[in-house]
Amino acid sequence: MPLSASTTVPHSVDRVAAVFVNEDFLRHTSELVGGTLESFAVDGDPAGAFSTTTVRTVPTTRFPDIARKFVGESLKVTQLETWDAPAPDGSRQSSISLKIAGAPLDVSAVQRLVSDGGSTRIELEGTVTSPVPFLGGKIAEAAEPMVGKALNIQSQQAQAWLESH
């Protein structure tokens, strides 16, 4: 199932990118959905190319009952991001991979932070798939809205965070 979202934040790419790799911000967004930030690590210098690993525990209370029977009350989600160095215009791009322990889902996406005057357009394109024979399409279809919403929370919360910090 395809993922696609776009939003604009009235702050520079540098500021938005800095928020996306701020441990306090990641803890805030995790707690906002009733989860916890288990760990966060940055490998490399965020001024150039670098990567991050974020591990969260998230509740499954919004999952359909049938899905909760299989995955339980919470899921452990590992998010790996590989960030490119800034482009000449300051824009950034990261490749995102989500691994969800105990759920047969694979999520991969590309997030672009595009400089748009003094603002940043955050674009997210990706896919949700499931390797389960015969049922994989239905599993991915059911999970896509929740995965998309989870990835979008970060973009939506970035503006509020920047304005309050």
Side-chain angles (χ1 to χ4, degrees), residues 97-149:
S97 171
L98 295 180
K99 298 297 180 197
I100 304 165
L105 291 171
D106 294 313
V107 180
S108 61
V110 172
Q111 177 175 258
R112 291 176 191 83
L113 305 182
V114 181
S115 182
D116 189 7
S119 298
T120 300
R121 192 172 62 252
I122 303 167
E123 302 171 346
L124 181 72
E125 299 287 333
T127 58
V128 179
T129 58
S130 175
V132 176
F134 307 112
L135 295 175
K138 293 232 181 266
I139 293 168
E141 185 178 335
E144 184 275 328
M146 290 171 258
V147 171
K149 185 174 182 178

Side-chain angles (χ1 to χ4, degrees), residues 11-18 20 46-50 82-94 110-123:
H11 297 279
S12 69
V13 170
D14 286 348
R15 292 197 67 207
V16 173
F20 284 177
F50 68 100
T82 304
W83 287 75
D84 295 344
D89 70 351
S91 297
R92 302 288 304 249
Q93 177 172 300
S94 65
V110 172
Q111 177 175 258
R112 291 176 191 83
L113 305 182
V114 181
S115 182
D116 189 7
S119 298
T120 300
R121 192 172 62 252
I122 303 167
E123 302 171 346

